[in-house]
Amino acid sequence: MERLIANVAELLGGRTLEIHVVDPYSPGSGRIWRQNQSALMWLNVPLQSVTMFTDSSVDCDGAIRPGLSLHSWTARHGGDVHSHDGFVSRLTQGRYLEWFFESVVAQRPTTVTVVVHTTRAVELLDHHGGRQQVRLANGEPDVTADAVILAMGHLDVLPDHQAFGFAEFASRHRLSYIPSGYSADLDLGMVRPAEDVLIRGMGLAFVDLTVLLTEGRGGRYQTTAGGLRYVRSGAEPTIYATSRRGVPHRTKFTYVLDDPAALPRFLDAENYTGSTSWAVDFVHDVWPAVAKEIGWSYYHEFFRAHPKRVRTGWNDFARLYSADPWGSETLSRHIAAAVPNPADRWDLDSVRDPLARAGRASLERLQPYVRSLLRADLTRRTSSGQSAELGAFLGFRSAAHQISELLGNDRLTARSEAAIGARWRRLYEHFCSGPPPLRTRQLLALSEAGVLKFLGSKVSVVADETERVFSATSATMPSALRFTALVDGWIPRFDLRLTTDKLLTRLIAAGEATEFVRSDADGFAYRTGLIQVSGETFEMIDRRGAAHRHRYAIGPFTSTRQFSTFTSPGTNGRSFRQNDRLARGVLRTLEAG
């Protein structure tokens, strides 16, 4: 909406524009950032990393309309900032988003009218002359429009086959099973005090669930000389946690680098666009450059910050590092010769499999081992004396941006898109999308209090009909554990075949929306589960492959494939560029009549 208003004077002149916003929640904050949720829920990125306004870095054709970032807005309007970490609650973020919406509406030209409908859109129909008819859930008169944009964010899906089976099993045996969903929406009341509950997944949703099951039930933290101490309320369960890697996501950083490496160095999306006939393979063409980029950024900072711990100068090391492919014996020898202490070398394998060195361990032995990893992670992420770790993070972030660009211009093969999910996206989220440091300290305190126990990596959970419990075994622990409560602690991945949204369901059934499927020349097909839209115009594509010039869609449920929820100031955010291109295309359609 902001981009529509920013471009309306240029593209529509003095013509009037009426914008109807349909949302069952408050416009701006929406569902995820709404006000009626626990104040314990946090925004999991630093407040200085969020802005809703375009700035001079944004490369778009529309007018640049700068404004307050979340950091600046909070300083002016107040908020519950955790000063030692720089994070705010979702309530504060929601108020910022609502303020942004109200500001955009207030600053609109007199030719623009904004009408808000606090309900859901449940059906979209073609009307006379190409106009669109939007049916609303609350019985209000239909909205008739010249163009419709679906910007519905993260949508709910039905349980998959395993989740459906677990739910049926739990119902028959009076157990508790909570499938994946958004933490603030889940009914955690079915998890009883002192009950052993298994949470699968240790990302940000897991952190939220843990907070709600502990602090949210009256538990509290005391600050001691040795760190935080958790004081039980007696209402919390005992939480057993597991994930693919067996440890929580890595902690957010609390410092910045003085002189980071110039990136991209080895992975630049523009280098893959020279030949239109060359389909880029992620594993063979991109991944080696990803790994080398991360290592380059790590060592650039290590040589700068710790010159006494290396045996050569940066220029000589950089020349040798650049000459050899990632993973080669020659490069490994160069690194070993320049960085004599193995503990100082970048170790991507330990990021991929943090518990590899733990071997097979009992539950009792595993707890102090995982806690030692969490303490070490806190030190690296909060102490500038360990700044090479931040160098690696910047390498990860640069690689993520370049991969996003490759996906956006459809240069990757279908197999590559499948590989990105398995090899890259989860790894990136683990290393770069973790909780604020205070949350990690709280997890440590919960573990030391025996409220939180780590179950290891690669856990298999089965419904045990004989014992009438959920039985879990892991690659780390040799013996099975039994649970009467199971929670899937991750955000569900959108799949249009499982969507619960009535509007989309009806469009799919009518063939007016279709799945984006990538195919390779040899016949391999990758089903993305996303709604297909035109890559340039964001027009919705129907089953026949035709674009609808009056229907548009953008967001994580579409083939636009955005990688971040919010944009940091000064980063030429992809979402700003996409939104501007979409808004200008819609306005041109309206201008053409």
Side-chain angles (χ1 to χ4, degrees):
M1 191 184 76
E2 187 276 334
R3 287 289 86 195
L4 284 170
I5 291 174
N7 285 284
V8 67
E10 175 192 347
L11 297 178
L12 286 190
R15 293 179 58 185
T16 60
L17 175 67
E18 187 171 273
I19 303 174
H20 291 260
V21 178
V22 181
D23 195 327
Y25 301 93
S26 296
S29 60
R31 172 185 175 186
I32 302 303
W33 311 99
R34 65 186 187 268
Q35 293 301 299
N36 62 333
Q37 63 180 299
S38 171
L40 294 171
M41 297 291 92
W42 289 3
L43 170 67
N44 284 302
V45 295
L47 76 166
Q48 66 265 26
S49 298
V50 176
T51 187
M52 293 298 293
F53 290 94
T54 52
D55 56 32
S56 59
S57 72
V58 180
D59 182 15
C60 68
D61 294 329
I64 300 299
R65 291 158 53 106
L68 297 177
S69 66
L70 176 60
H71 182 269
S72 301
W73 180 87
T74 303
R76 180 176 298 183
H77 295 273
D80 53 352
V81 181
H82 302 275
S83 59
H84 57 291
D85 284 342
F87 293 83
V88 297
S89 73
R90 291 183 190 171
L91 300 180
T92 295
Q93 168 72 351
R95 288 195 290 273
Y96 171 66
L97 296 176
E98 290 176 358
W99 167 84
F100 172 75
F101 180 89
E102 293 164 0
S103 298
V104 170
V105 173
Q107 295 171 20
R108 72 191 187 280
T110 57
T111 56
V112 176
T113 302
V114 176
V115 181
V116 174
H117 304 267
T118 309
T119 185
R120 294 184 186 277
V122 294
E123 193 167 12
L124 175 59
L125 303 167
D126 279 315
H127 201 50
H128 301 298
R131 302 196 81 198
Q132 300 298 294
Q133 186 174 354
V134 181
R135 190 152 294 159
L136 304 178
N138 65 355
E140 287 183 26
D142 294 351
V143 175
T144 303
D146 296 293
V148 173
I149 301 172
L150 305 184
M152 300 185 292
H154 292 280
L155 295 165
D156 289 329
V157 293
L158 296 168
D160 61 17
H161 179 73
Q162 184 190 64
F164 182 84
F166 279 171
E168 188 275 335
F169 172 77
S171 177
R172 280 192 291 111
H173 298 300
R174 298 184 179 180
L175 306 176
S176 298
Y177 171 64
I178 302 175
S180 61
Y182 296 92
S183 304
D185 297 334
L186 298 179
D187 178 15
L188 298 179
M190 63 176 63
V191 179
R192 297 183 294 271
E195 184 176 22
D196 289 346
V197 57
L198 173 61
I199 299 182
R200 298 195 296 177
M202 281 198 270
L204 296 179
F206 155 75
V207 174
D208 290 342
L209 292 169
T210 301
V211 169
L212 292 172
L213 289 169
T214 54
E215 276 189 284
R217 293 192 174 187
R220 57 190 177 88
Y221 294 93
Q222 292 179 339
T223 302
T224 69
L228 292 182
R229 174 178 173 267
Y230 181 73
V231 180
R232 295 173 182 258
S233 68
E236 61 274 275
T238 299
I239 300 169
Y240 290 75
T242 184
S243 67
R244 182 176 288 100
R245 292 181 174 82
V247 299
H249 280 8
R250 304 287 285 272
T251 309
K252 288 287 194 306
F253 288 91
T254 59
Y255 58 93
V256 297
L257 297 187
D258 297 329
D259 184 23
L263 300 173
R265 176 65 172 79
F266 299 98
L267 179 63
D268 189 337
E270 293 186 2
N271 295 337
Y272 297 87
T273 59
S275 170
T276 57
S277 63
W278 176 36
V280 179
D281 182 85
F282 180 79
V283 174
H284 294 98
D285 301 324
V286 179
W287 174 251
V290 169
K292 198 165 185 180
E293 189 89 313
I294 297 168
W296 171 269
S297 188
Y298 172 92
Y299 285 117
H300 178 276
E301 175 59 20
F302 186 79
F303 273 69
R304 185 198 69 83
H306 305 288
K308 294 182 180 180
R309 290 157 66 179
V310 296
R311 289 178 174 170
T312 186
W314 168 249
N315 290 336
D316 289 338
F317 178 84
R319 176 176 53 82
L320 294 172
Y321 185 94
S322 301
D324 295 303
W326 180 261
S328 67
E329 291 186 9
T330 305
L331 181 58
S332 297
R333 286 198 299 269
H334 289 324
I335 293 173
V339 186
N341 187 349
D344 289 336
R345 300 171 198 158
W346 170 241
D347 185 3
L348 185 57
D349 288 338
S350 68
V351 178
R352 287 167 156 177
D353 189 0
L355 296 183
R357 296 174 184 172
R360 302 286 279 182
S362 66
L363 184 67
E364 292 72 22
R365 286 182 55 202
L366 184 61
Q367 306 316 302
Y369 186 85
V370 175
R371 287 197 292 268
S372 71
L373 295 180
L374 294 181
R375 292 190 187 97
D377 187 52
L378 271 171
T379 300
R380 289 191 294 265
R381 301 285 174 127
T382 61
S383 170
S384 58
Q386 302 283 334
S387 57
E389 179 95 353
L390 179 51
F393 168 83
L394 296 178
F396 264 96
R397 193 169 67 177
S398 175
H401 175 74
Q402 298 304 320
I403 292 169
S404 177
E405 294 294 323
L406 287 171
L407 284 168
N409 61 33
D410 289 332
R411 293 311 316 280
L412 294 167
T413 64
R415 281 187 175 82
S416 294
E417 292 218 22
I420 284 173
R423 180 183 284 255
W424 167 251
R425 191 167 292 135
R426 295 189 186 102
L427 181 68
Y428 176 83
E429 290 172 353
H430 172 73
F431 193 80
C432 300
S433 299
L438 181 57
R439 291 300 196 211
T440 301
R441 294 186 182 99
Q442 291 173 346
L443 293 179
L444 271 168
L446 290 171
S447 175
E448 290 166 343
V451 174
L452 172 62
K453 298 183 180 182
F454 301 104
L455 198 53
S457 60
K458 303 179 183 68
V459 166
S460 173
V461 178
V462 297
D464 188 334
E465 290 284 1
T466 302
E467 299 290 336
R468 299 184 179 183
V469 293
F470 294 106
S471 179
T473 56
S474 76
T476 311
M477 282 185 32
S479 57
L481 292 179
R482 296 172 175 82
F483 298 92
T484 54
L486 172 66
V487 180
D488 286 340
W490 58 77
I491 301 300
R493 177 180 178 269
F494 179 74
D495 188 331
L496 64 85
R497 292 163 290 182
L498 298 174
T499 181
T500 62
D501 185 82
K502 291 182 179 179
L503 186 149
L504 284 181
T505 300
R506 288 167 172 163
L507 289 177
I508 294 162
E512 296 173 6
T514 190
E515 182 181 10
F516 178 57
V517 179
R518 292 294 310 275
S519 299
D520 289 338
D522 62 1
F524 176 85
Y526 173 61
R527 302 190 65 173
T528 66
L530 304 174
I531 294 288
Q532 185 173 3
V533 299
S534 166
E536 292 299 318
T537 63
F538 307 97
E539 293 169 319
M540 293 182 65
I541 307 296
D542 66 19
R543 188 162 49 199
R544 301 168 300 162
H548 198 305
R549 65 186 299 264
H550 298 280
R551 293 178 180 175
Y552 305 82
I554 193 168
F557 67 101
T558 74
S559 57
T560 51
R561 292 164 294 181
Q562 299 178 96
F563 271 76
S564 60
T565 305
F566 296 109
T567 296
S568 297
T571 60
N572 189 24
R574 184 178 181 84
S575 60
F576 285 145
R577 289 178 278 143
Q578 289 179 331
N579 290 336
D580 189 73
R581 195 163 77 245
L582 168 57
R584 292 176 69 85
V586 170
L587 291 171
R588 288 193 183 98
T589 297
L590 298 180
E591 194 276 335

